Amino acid sequence: MATQHTKEVEQQISKGNARKYFFEKLSSKIFLACALLSVISLLLIVGFVFYKGANPFVTGDYSFLSFIFGSEWVPSEDKFGIFPMIVASIYATMGALVIGVPVGLFTAIFLAEIAPKRVAKIVSPAIQLLAGIPSVLYGVFGLAIIVPFLQDNLGLARGQSLIAVILVLAIMMLPTIVTIAETAIRAVPKSYREGSLALGVSEIGTIFKVVVPAAKSGIMAAIVLGLGRALGETMAVILVAGNSLIIPTSLTDSIRPLTTNIALEMGYAAGTHLEMLFATGIVLFSFILILNFVLARLTAKGGH
Amino acid sequence: MVMMVTEVAAVNKQQVSTASAQSKILVDDLNLFYGEKQALFNVSLDIKEKEVTALIGPSGCGKSTFLRTLNRMNDLIDGVRVSGNITIDGEDIYASNDVIKLRTKVGMVFQKSNLFPMSIYDNVAYGPRMQGIKNRKVLDALVEESLRGAAIWDEVKDRLKTSALGLSGGQQQRICIARTIAMKPDVILMDEPTSALDPISTLKVEELITQMKKDYTIVIVTHNMQQAARISDKTAFFLNGEVVEYDDTNVIFSTPKDQRTEDYVTGRFG
Amino acid sequence: MRQAKDNLLRAMLWGSAFVSVAILFTIVGYLFYKGFSYISFDFIFGDYSPIGGGGIFPMIVTTIYTILISLIIATPIGILAAVYLHEYAKQGRLVRIIRYATESLTGIPSIIYGLFGAVFFVATLKLGMSIIAASLTLTIIVLPVIIRTTEEALKTVPASYREGSLALGTTKLQTLYKVILPSAMPGILSGIILSIGRIVGESAAIFLTAGTVAAMPDSIFSSARTLTVHSYLVTQESGDIGLAAAIGIVLIVIILALNLSATYISKKFNKADY
């Protein structure tokens, strides 16, 4: 009986494995092709956006410098200057950062280090959930509550303004910053804390002198990701920005950041106007690439 | 201590003499590199059929690396290069790229049980199924036969469909052996198979190995010198990637020719 | 002095956390307060009517279409790409390039995806503003998410499973679909659920590729609007905060359900041993 089964196994094995090796080879080629698809997608995206966006400057007689530094955007008169939008994007993002980062970071530290376990157990997942809700909803809330509030209390003609954008973006980036920074802080080994506490340093002192510096790379990643989210946000911003084409000089000015310019005009733009929207995309893209580069450097330093 | 080991080896010798002395695996001038770093130096061994050959030596000496050249598991690591010759039954195992065939012929049992998260039955039937055997009756018989061969049938026959991961460490390791036997290999490689087991489970596995010798050629890496002395016919002592000495087990443990072997087996280092 | 500083910092930590939690819960609370009265069977399952009072069923259908199409394409490709990166590739330049590209895709803002989708899928491939064009754009958006989560899941599969299987004379492919992928499945499923969240939350990219037609789509080649785009448009065009908030409730419930099922899956699979 034993020999019969031995035979069975041997027969199967001796059939040869040529077919198996063929599928082995074929499958690894298919897997490689799938992996290459992300490279191809990136190249296509960069290629198409840059090709379309660079066209006016390469074949037309538009100057890239006056595109970047021009302050007038009147497509019907062939004037394409996006300086006000660049300024608006930078102001809005930086402003959101100034408010969102400290609040988000302190919240993360609170949840990871000093919150009672029961509180953290409920609040952390809730905030994680909020990182997933569509950003448009933050815009809806901004338009319904923040804009009228500003209008009434600051005596503005329209509440849609730089400060409204900053507030909406700051709120929107909070869950992202809190969630990622909290993970980074929790990943700091217990021994660090114990070492510091054993030296007689207070709990708060330990948190700020030992734990937070140890989690630095993760915290920086959280900030950069939050920043990227704010810089790239479009639809929520349209609702509260006011979309005026001026260089903002005060927090109460109505603004039009780069992203909203694209979304607002893509619907009807054609010809050079359309290409200039792609050029706007290139500028936005460049900001993001710089951010990604910074992020890559930061995570590389973190040694993960 | 030395006395005890020697005695055990002497007892073992009587069993040895009956074993056949046909060569099964011939290793000739084997060198192995991890990238730039050389891990094995001019290893030559003549491993006999249906004997237990033990590989001993301090950790990092290359014994496990050597074991893994015999079923080409080292192929899985990037940047490993091998020179020299290994033949099994006269066939150069590095000449053909049919590692599937090689690994069905040369089974392996690992340091820790690495059963899959499946039922006991599915674990044992895994290899044959992957070879295309689908007939339920054949599989049933194979599973029973293999579990009997691994001396664990009576312990698990009523729970074949339950998770293999619910068994004790020793039982899991014997299922691993059953899984290997199910492929009907000629050679079974064992990489410190009892290092994670308690003494009683270890004894059971050792007993099993001694029984299995009549059907299989077994090469076992072990840290435990008493174990090598108890169960093996031949012993190779590895040091820094070289084979210092290779001889009958009782010779290695009683009258080694090399001073380093003697130092190691008497526990002066390692 | 030190004590005072500690106390101040401690107060700031509590304060910040309180502010964050208060704001975020206010938003959710507000949306529920404003939108809850709209929610009814007819609202969810009724057809849309531009004069008001209609339902959001066409948008729900459109959202489901976009989820299904993009996942049908992105899931196999993403899983196999991760398999290549983690199980097959020799770590070297090519892998670094693929990883870099994948990471870069994660960082691209959705409006750029929208631009690309509009010029590539809508115009160059002549798909027009349509569900299919939006879904293909979304495919690229979620691809890196699936690749990354699958890779993380593959990392958790013990190396001993691979060795054990290969040592039995199986091929890598057999080992992959019999042992590795089943073990990595919970992680992969969470990745897919995460992707659904991303698709549901997306607005700008869909806005530029699917258009804004507010009607039941005839086919995947029709222009249509998803729930998220709809909530944007009703706010922007008619300032109907209540309706937008009601859609918001539906979206939040969907995201909540997705999150819960992701947690449930990972918990369940972690406990069971097979």
Side-chain angles (χ1 to χ4, degrees), chain A residues 20-21 23-24 27-28 30-39 41-42 44-46 48-49 52 102-107 109-111 114-116 122-123 125-130 132-141 143-145 171 174-175 178 202-205 207-209 228 231-236 238-239 243 259 262-264 266-267 274 277-278 280-282 284-285 288-289 292-293 296, chain C residues 2 5-7 9-10 12-14 16-21 23-28 30-31 34 76-78 80-85 88 94 97-98 100-116 118-120 124 129 140 143 147 166 169-174 176 197 200-204 207-208 228-229 231-232 235-236 239 241 244-245 247-249 251-252 255-257 259:
Chain A
K20 284 186 178 171
Y21 287 113
F23 281 114
E24 196 79 339
S27 60
S28 73
I30 293 172
F31 298 166
L32 170 63
C34 290
L36 284 176
L37 213 66
S38 47
V39 180
S41 305
L42 182 67
L44 278 177
I45 293 170
V46 173
F48 269 94
V49 172
K52 277 286 232 184
V103 176
L105 216 53
F106 271 52
T107 304
I109 295 171
F110 174 81
L111 289 173
I114 64 174
I122 296 167
V123 174
I127 290 187
Q128 221 170 329
L129 177 75
L130 289 167
I133 71 170
S135 51
V136 167
L137 298 181
Y138 289 98
V140 172
F141 174 78
L143 184 67
I145 296 290
I171 294 170
L174 264 182
V178 172
S202 69
E203 190 194 1
I204 297 286
I207 291 169
F208 283 94
K209 291 269 154 53
L231 187 56
E233 182 50 43
T234 310
M235 311 313 262
I238 294 182
L239 294 176
N243 302 313
T259 50
I262 300 170
L264 283 171
M266 266 302 278
L274 182 67
L277 293 180
F278 279 86
T280 313
I282 295 179
L284 180 67
F285 209 153
I288 296 288
L289 283 181
N292 275 357
F293 180 74
Chain C
R2 153 130 299 143
K5 204 175 140 196
D6 275 10
N7 283 340
L9 282 170
R10 193 182 283 274
M12 281 168 70
L13 288 173
W14 278 90
S16 299
F18 179 76
V19 168
S20 302
V21 172
I23 290 175
L24 293 170
F25 283 88
T26 305
I27 293 178
V28 175
Y30 176 79
L31 292 175
K34 270 291 203 186
I77 294 177
L80 296 184
V83 163
Y84 177 80
L85 289 173
Y88 281 75
L94 183 63
I97 293 173
I98 295 172
Y100 181 78
T102 313
E103 267 165 44
S104 303
L105 286 178
T106 319
I108 295 177
S110 59
I111 187 80
I112 302 274
Y113 279 109
L115 276 178
F116 168 72
V119 63
F120 186 69
T124 308
M129 293 272 221
I140 305 179
L143 191 60
I147 293 179
L166 291 172
T170 61
T171 63
K172 279 180 108 167
L173 193 59
Q174 290 175 321
L176 183 70
V200 170
E202 189 52 65
S203 48
F207 182 64
L208 296 191
T228 308
V229 173
S231 76
Y232 163 77
T235 313
Q236 172 76 345
I241 302 287
I247 300 166
I249 294 172
L251 287 168
I252 290 172
I255 301 287
L256 182 67
N259 267 273

Side-chain angles (χ1 to χ4, degrees), chain A residues 110-112 115-125 182 186:
Chain A
F110 174 81
L111 289 173
K117 259 214 176 81
R118 268 180 314 152
V119 175
K121 240 186 170 160
I122 296 167
V123 174
S124 294
E182 190 192 336
R186 281 191 193 278

Side-chain angles (χ1 to χ4, degrees), chain A residues 185-206:
Chain A
I185 294 167
R186 281 191 193 278
V188 174
K190 251 206 176 80
S191 57
Y192 285 29
R193 287 176 194 103
E194 285 164 356
S196 169
L197 291 171
L199 289 171
V201 181
S202 69
E203 190 194 1
I204 297 286
T206 300

Side-chain angles (χ1 to χ4, degrees), chain A residues 162-290:
Chain A
L162 175 58
I163 182 69
V165 175
I166 288 175
L167 288 172
V168 166
L169 289 179
I171 294 170
M172 197 190 76
M173 72 207 283
L174 264 182
T176 310
I177 293 180
V178 172
T179 306
I180 299 172
E182 190 192 336
T183 313
I185 294 167
R186 281 191 193 278
V188 174
K190 251 206 176 80
S191 57
Y192 285 29
R193 287 176 194 103
E194 285 164 356
S196 169
L197 291 171
L199 289 171
V201 181
S202 69
E203 190 194 1
I204 297 286
T206 300
I207 291 169
F208 283 94
K209 291 269 154 53
V210 178
V211 178
V212 170
K216 204 171 75 188
S217 74
I219 290 174
M220 289 310 277
I223 294 172
V224 174
L225 279 173
L227 198 72
R229 229 190 130 177
L231 187 56
E233 182 50 43
T234 310
M235 311 313 262
V237 171
I238 294 182
L239 294 176
V240 295
N243 302 313
S244 305
L245 281 160
I246 52 164
I247 300 176
T249 52
S250 101
L251 283 172
T252 54
D253 281 345
S254 162
I255 59 162
R256 178 188 291 204
L258 293 164
T259 50
T260 58
N261 187 47
I262 300 170
L264 283 171
E265 301 191 0
M266 266 302 278
Y268 58 88
T272 307
H273 183 193
L274 182 67
E275 287 172 344
M276 283 301 185
L277 293 180
F278 279 86
T280 313
I282 295 179
V283 175
L284 180 67
F285 209 153
S286 311
F287 278 124
I288 296 288
L289 283 181
I290 295 168

Side-chain angles (χ1 to χ4, degrees), chain C residues 175-189:
Chain C
T175 304
L176 183 70
Y177 73 75
K178 282 289 177 189
V179 177
I180 298 177
L181 286 183
S183 305
M185 204 38 92
I188 295 174
L189 282 179

